[in-house]
Amino acid sequence: MQTTLGEPTLSAMAFFVAIVLLTLAITWWAARRTRSTQDFYAAGRSVSAAQNGLALAGDYMSAASFLGIAGLVAQTGYDGMIYATGWLVGWPALMFLVAEPLRNLGKFTFADVVAFRLRQTPVRLAAAVGGILTVLCYTIAQMVGAGNLVALLFGMRYEAAVALVGTVMLGYVLFGGMIATTWVQIIKAILLLFGVTVLAGLVLARFEWSLGALYGAVATRYGQAMLEPGGLVTNPLDAISLGIALMFGVLGLPHILMRFYTVPDASAARTSVLWATGLIGYFYLIIPLVGFGAAALVGRETIRSIDPGSNMAAPLLAELLGGTPFLGFIAAVAFATILAVVAGLTLAGASALSHDVFVHAIRGGRATEREQIRVARIATVVFGILAVLLGILFRGQNVAFMVGLAFAIACSANFPALLLSIVWRR
């Protein structure tokens, strides 16, 4: 197929500029309301349950979900869906096990809960290291997706594209804090759900609204093996291990756990998870259709020739079915997705560095409000620069795979400590 990816187009630029201007306007509005550490880290605890549910969904439906899963399903078929189901089924566990006690016990980070009954300094340092490693792996995936997307759309060099994303994201976090990040997440979640719904609808319309016809076209082109397990994970134990990591990793993601401190009380925390689960469930049900549609209509060879990590399957499908303007819209939504998620991740990484390491481990909890905000902003810049450098280093990786690594760390390091702190009397 002929594609305009790699050449700047007017529609793509228009959508990009519109979304960036909208999000920067939100940041300007939020900056005027960010005066204290509670505003910077937790949006003044003034976010409603429905708003937080949308923001949680926005935080979670990342570039890895949109670009990565569509690419994995297009390349490996059935096994790519392990990621979609694994990332979804952790949410009920999050609602019943963690949401309410986390909001009751903590202040800004999950380390607040882990350190509640243990020796503060070593526990906070260990929790901060686990949190920062998780957030960094997750951030690398977003930066790789962003670099590929912006480089292909504007004909820029990959390195310049990653640096551009890092600069805009730093603007959100430095000036607007959690208030700006929350509202950027809400707008991005609405745009992403709309875009993916239209894309999945166009795929089904091409196959006369028949799932059987879609899967039949995939099987005809690539064989029945594409619709059966074993394309990506050949060992059943590996499949179970991956599923568990993706499921329980949700309960150890610092940028997701941090959102529970933005609501007024524990009841709102639980309700916001209910909202998020419904929205995320819908998203993960339809994203595999985009992947199979890309395999059947665009072709695996074409997808790989554009990007070795197969992350451009969804934008290529959007161009095939809706023309260059729809490609511009989908790419701009993917860009907004990346910016919003990276902003949330940077805030989580900065809060671990400033709140856990500086305020509690170094200053023993005796830092002034002004000092805390200054250190948080310095930590944000440090984390942003690190994210850009690692994004350049990990070029060519599939972003869903990279996020799987972040979930593995979150599941094995953060989740057990957090759960035992909440449920184990000793």
Side-chain angles (χ1 to χ4, degrees), residues 13-375:
M13 285 184 173
F15 280 121
F16 257 72
V17 170
I19 283 177
V20 170
L21 287 177
L22 175 65
T23 51
L24 288 175
I26 292 166
T27 305
W28 174 79
W29 166 79
R32 299 170 66 192
R33 287 158 177 76
T34 303
R35 297 181 185 90
S36 66
T37 45
Q38 187 161 297
D39 290 336
F40 189 82
Y41 289 134
R45 310 206 196 284
S46 59
V47 181
S48 73
Q51 288 168 348
N52 198 46
L54 262 170
L56 271 167
D59 235 338
Y60 200 65
M61 296 183 303
S62 64
S65 304
F66 180 40
L67 302 175
I69 290 179
L72 268 180
V73 171
Q75 291 298 337
T76 64
Y78 180 94
D79 277 8
M81 294 198 294
I82 295 174
Y83 282 83
T85 38
W87 279 334
L88 170 60
V89 294
W91 282 86
L94 186 67
M95 181 166 67
F96 291 118
L97 294 176
V98 168
E100 201 169 319
L102 193 74
R103 175 62 189 83
N104 284 334
L105 293 170
K107 193 177 178 186
F108 297 131
T109 66
F110 86 95
D112 289 333
V113 180
V114 178
F116 192 68
R117 293 180 300 173
L118 300 166
R119 281 171 56 211
Q120 289 278 328
T121 304
V123 170
R124 278 192 184 276
L125 284 172
V129 168
I132 289 165
L133 279 175
T134 306
V135 166
L136 268 180
C137 285
Y138 212 117
T139 305
I140 291 166
Q142 310 308 316
M143 296 307 260
V144 170
N148 284 327
L149 193 68
V150 178
L152 285 169
L153 274 173
F154 294 132
M156 291 171 72
R157 287 189 57 191
Y158 174 83
E159 293 80 4
V162 172
L164 173 72
V165 174
T167 306
V168 178
M169 170 273 296
L170 277 175
Y172 292 168
V173 182
L174 283 174
F175 301 110
M178 183 56 97
I179 300 172
T181 304
T182 298
W183 281 101
V184 169
Q185 296 287 18
I186 289 169
I187 288 164
K188 165 237 141 156
I190 294 165
L191 286 171
L192 183 60
L193 286 166
F194 172 74
V196 173
T197 301
V198 172
L199 190 52
L202 289 171
V203 168
L204 288 174
R206 182 62 74 95
F207 292 97
E208 298 175 348
W209 302 97
S210 166
L211 286 172
L214 168 62
Y215 296 140
V218 172
T220 302
R221 189 163 180 178
Y222 299 108
Q224 186 63 25
M226 188 78 168
L227 304 176
E228 294 171 355
L232 178 67
V233 183
T234 50
N235 185 335
L237 277 176
D238 289 347
I240 293 165
S241 170
L242 176 62
I244 289 171
L246 298 178
M247 178 181 170
F248 289 118
V250 182
L251 285 76
L253 293 176
H255 69 297
I256 297 293
L257 299 174
M258 201 176 174
R259 293 226 63 88
F260 295 122
Y261 301 125
T262 63
V263 289
D265 52 45
S267 171
R270 205 169 56 246
T271 308
S272 64
V273 180
L274 200 60
W275 273 95
T277 306
L279 294 165
I280 291 163
Y282 169 73
F283 176 80
Y284 282 126
L285 278 173
I286 60 173
I287 201 69
L289 296 179
V290 173
F292 281 120
L297 298 170
V298 179
R300 296 195 302 199
E301 299 76 18
T302 307
I303 295 165
R304 267 201 305 269
S305 70
I306 296 289
D307 172 40
S310 306
N311 298 312
M312 293 298 112
L316 284 166
L317 181 66
E319 186 179 25
L320 179 72
L321 297 175
T324 308
F326 190 48
L327 165 67
F329 174 73
I330 286 293
V333 168
F335 184 65
T337 298
I338 290 160
L339 282 177
V341 173
V342 170
L345 289 164
T346 303
L347 201 54
S351 67
L353 283 170
S354 57
H355 179 69
D356 295 324
V357 177
F358 176 77
V359 175
H360 285 92
I362 295 172
R363 294 296 302 273
R366 289 182 297 276
T368 64
E369 189 93 355
R370 199 169 181 177
E371 228 179 357
Q372 288 184 52
I373 291 252
R374 192 177 78 247
V375 172

